[in-house]
């Protein structure tokens, strides 16, 4: 019983650390196509900055994360940062998609560079 309580405490502590982390994505009430284009550029720029700083993560929003599944991206092995639910704007989606694409692209290049030929 003590082991179960300890495991639950660690799980909640782990989730609370990620919940307290600041989102790298800015939100805007502007839902115009121009705002989506600007958001895409911001997402790529933020990812480039994070890569340079050694901060590797994949951003997630939408349906709730599966209970018990580690907060780790299946494709890259990078940690997953949950940003929110499914009530989002087109610019938000563009920014997150651009961020994640840049992270996955970096990971793929890094992986192919380290593969022996």
């Amino acid at each position: 019983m003590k082991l179960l309580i300890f495991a639950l405490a660690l799980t909640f502590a782990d989730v609370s650390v990620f919940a307290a982390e600041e989102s790298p994505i800015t939100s805007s009430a502007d839902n115009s196509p121009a705002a989506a284009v600007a958001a895409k550029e911001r997402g790529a720029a933020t990812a480039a900055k994070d890569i340079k700083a050694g901060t590797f993560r994949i951003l997630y929003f939408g349906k709730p994360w599966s209970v018990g599944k580690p907060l780790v991206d299946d494709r890259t092995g990078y940690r997953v940062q949950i940003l929110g639910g499914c009530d989002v704007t087109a610019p938000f989606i563009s920014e997150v998609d651009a961020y994640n694409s840049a992270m996955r692209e970096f990971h793929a290049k890094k992986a192919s560079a380290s593969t022996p030929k």
Side-chain angles (χ1 to χ4, degrees):
M1 183 65 168
K2 287 182 182 180
L3 183 59
L4 176 62
I5 293 171
F6 180 71
L8 287 173
L10 282 178
T11 300
F12 289 122
D14 192 35
V15 169
S16 67
V17 166
F18 286 114
E21 187 174 13
E22 189 174 319
S23 172
I25 302 301
T26 57
S27 56
S28 169
D30 184 358
N31 208 14
S32 70
V37 170
K40 184 176 181 178
E41 292 170 0
R42 268 194 320 273
T46 302
K49 183 180 126 203
D50 283 354
I51 289 166
K52 188 173 182 179
T55 302
F56 306 109
R57 62 183 160 193
I58 296 296
L59 306 177
Y60 182 84
F61 65 93
K63 67 180 185 173
W65 193 259
S66 297
V67 174
K69 181 178 179 183
L71 289 169
V72 176
D73 181 59
D74 293 333
R75 287 195 271 170
T76 62
Y78 295 163
R79 69 184 175 90
V80 170
Q81 180 180 349
I82 298 174
L83 300 181
C86 52
D87 187 20
V88 294
T89 63
F92 177 88
I93 294 167
S94 292
E95 193 167 347
V96 170
D97 287 349
Y99 183 95
N100 288 343
S101 291
M103 281 289 172
R104 288 189 170 116
E105 219 174 89
F106 172 79
H107 178 268
K109 285 179 185 173
K110 186 175 147 190
S112 67
S114 65
T115 302
K117 296 179 182 181

